[in-house]
Amino acid sequence: MKRFGTWVGLLLLVFSSAVAQEDAGRKWAVNFQVGGIIPAHPKAGRNGMLPMGSQENQSGLLTKLHFEYYVPQYPLSVKGGYEHEEVNLLGNDVSFDMKQIMLGGRYYPVPKDWFIQPYLGIDTYWNIGSQEEALRMKVSSSQYGTYTRQGTIRKPLFSGAPVVGVDLYFFSCIAFQVEYGFRMGVGKSTEITSRSTSNSTEYYTTQRPFRHSFTVGLKISFPFYFTEDDGSKLIGGILDCIFY
């Protein structure tokens, strides 16, 4: 086993030396991210909110596929891509999704050769799917009894968000990403009326088109190359797996 590990290490060292080249600078990149959406806290009407699930599980799933172009000689980039938001409201009673085209930009304040690349950005989103859905539902719960919800789900046609994040380059052209943004939709709020069958009082909930986003992902930069230092890191990781 040790002899096998030695041969693997030697082969990887030869490979890394053969493909290593000087850093020509990042020209463009592709990244995939996945994470969560947390809508802003709903606003209650004059009678408050019906307690069943009103403030529970205000969350959703967010996936992103982006392409990024680095502006030559400037610490700036332009990004574009596709995103999909799945949003849950009122204890998962209310769910909807949005298919969006994204366009934005990034500012990288530190030198390009640092392996930690924090950034600030502005993103815009264009909802290419439906903008309104009618809601009418009846729920029977062992905990809360039977209640109804009805109203109109309104999805913003356009949204914008300030963004902050960091790229962590564990190889020269491959980075782990962490990103946060606060998305502000342009348009009317979602309005929902709730009523318990045991109580004739109506409860009104207003949900603004604002939401927090948290994502992690992987970025691959081009032109893609593999340096000798990258080879050493890879060899060290493989040998650790073999012998430890």
Side-chain angles (χ1 to χ4, degrees):
M1 179 61 73
K2 290 186 177 180
R3 182 174 297 178
F4 173 78
T6 302
W7 278 108
V8 170
L10 289 174
L11 288 172
L12 288 174
L13 182 60
V14 171
F15 173 77
S16 64
S17 299
V19 300
Q21 56 179 296
E22 293 297 323
D23 185 358
R26 302 180 186 104
K27 306 298 184 183
W28 63 281
V30 59
N31 74 269
F32 174 78
Q33 296 183 23
V34 62
I37 285 287
I38 302 178
H41 197 280
K43 181 180 179 182
R46 62 179 181 273
N47 294 321
M49 290 186 293
L50 194 66
M52 286 75 80
S54 294
Q55 302 180 43
E56 301 171 4
N57 298 324
Q58 294 274 117
S59 62
L61 178 66
L62 172 63
T63 53
K64 309 178 185 180
L65 177 63
H66 292 166
F67 294 90
E68 184 172 11
Y69 171 74
Y70 296 98
V71 180
Q73 301 179 356
Y74 292 94
L76 303 173
S77 71
V78 178
K79 297 192 73 173
Y82 173 80
E83 300 193 4
H84 185 241
E85 289 187 40
E86 299 175 11
V87 183
N88 300 312
L89 305 174
L90 301 178
N92 288 329
D93 281 354
V94 181
S95 299
F96 63 90
D97 69 337
M98 290 190 291
K99 303 174 180 67
Q100 300 175 116
I101 300 298
M102 171 270 180
L103 182 65
R106 298 289 183 270
Y107 166 63
Y108 295 89
V110 304
K112 293 182 178 180
D113 58 348
W114 287 21
F115 79 94
I116 297 178
Q117 289 287 313
Y119 58 81
L120 302 172
I122 295 291
D123 286 349
T124 58
Y125 313 94
W126 174 34
N127 177 18
I128 58 176
S130 63
Q131 296 180 44
E132 285 194 2
E133 292 182 16
L135 171 69
R136 184 178 296 273
M137 62 182 302
K138 184 175 183 180
V139 180
S140 296
S141 167
S142 59
Q143 183 177 2
Y144 299 115
T146 302
Y147 59 94
T148 62
R149 296 195 196 275
Q150 62 182 19
T152 302
I153 299 171
R154 297 187 175 94
K155 312 172 191 179
L157 178 60
F158 295 104
S159 298
V163 176
V164 60
V166 63
D167 296 339
L168 303 172
Y169 282 88
F170 53 92
F171 291 124
S172 297
C173 293
I174 305 177
F176 175 74
Q177 294 186 296
V178 180
E179 187 172 282
Y180 165 78
F182 182 66
R183 304 181 173 212
M184 297 169 283
V186 178
K188 297 181 179 179
S189 299
T190 291
E191 298 176 346
I192 300 170
T193 300
S194 304
R195 175 186 292 175
S196 172
T197 56
S198 61
N199 186 345
S200 60
T201 304
E202 292 186 334
Y203 300 84
Y204 301 94
T205 303
T206 302
Q207 184 74 52
R208 296 177 297 173
F210 297 164
R211 59 264 191 219
H212 304 273
S213 67
F214 303 88
T215 54
V216 296
L218 193 68
K219 173 190 279 190
I220 302 177
S221 301
F222 298 89
F224 186 86
Y225 58 89
F226 205 69
T227 67
E228 190 170 338
D229 184 54
D230 294 333
S232 298
K233 293 179 183 177
L234 181 58
I235 291 169
I238 291 176
L239 293 179
D240 285 344
C241 292
I242 292 175
F243 296 115
Y244 300 102

